Amino acid sequence: MTKLDDLPLFAGDREIAEAIVGKRDAEKWMKERLPTLAQKAGFPAIDAFHGGRAVPLVKRFYENYLGLPVESAKGKPDGQEDDSAWNKRKRRGSSG
């Protein structure tokens, strides 16, 4: 199954639909859900120059819509914090 992360930067509605609901339900999603979503604030319009919707914006829309945590552009995912500051403090404190 294709995921949004597997799509190019700009993708067509069919590709986006398959990534969101799967190939089997993509046609129904495009007919019944997409017209409503396209009217919602934050759902990206089709970029005429690129011929598709910006996939990162579709992903962000769904993260907000579903109330999922959004990764900070500067932060790292959970479990991958930079602990070098902690190690430096330990070294300073233990050398005195």
Side-chain angles (χ1 to χ4, degrees), residues 2-3 26 28 32 35 40 44-45 49 60 73-74 82 86 94:
T2 302
K3 298 184 294 186
K28 181 178 179 182
E32 297 178 11
K40 290 192 175 283
F49 186 78
R60 184 182 306 157
K74 295 180 182 179
D82 182 8
W86 293 101
S94 61

Side-chain angles (χ1 to χ4, degrees), residues 28-50:
K28 181 178 179 182
W29 182 89
M30 289 174 52
K31 287 180 182 177
E32 297 178 11
R33 305 291 183 242
L34 181 58
T36 301
L37 290 172
Q39 301 300 316
K40 290 192 175 283
F43 194 81
I46 293 174
D47 182 289
F49 186 78
H50 293 96

Side-chain angles (χ1 to χ4, degrees), residues 8-80:
L9 186 58
F10 289 88
D13 288 340
R14 179 70 183 196
E15 295 169 294
I16 292 169
E18 289 181 9
I20 292 171
V21 297
K23 199 170 195 167
R24 187 187 68 180
D25 296 317
E27 191 66 35
K28 181 178 179 182
W29 182 89
M30 289 174 52
K31 287 180 182 177
E32 297 178 11
R33 305 291 183 242
L34 181 58
T36 301
L37 290 172
Q39 301 300 316
K40 290 192 175 283
F43 194 81
I46 293 174
D47 182 289
F49 186 78
H50 293 96
R53 298 182 197 273
V55 173
L57 297 179
V58 173
K59 186 175 178 181
R60 184 182 306 157
F61 172 84
Y62 270 99
E63 287 169 343
N64 291 328
Y65 179 78
L66 298 173
L68 300 174
V70 179
E71 290 182 24
S72 168
K74 295 180 182 179
K76 295 184 179 184
D78 286 344
Q80 296 183 17

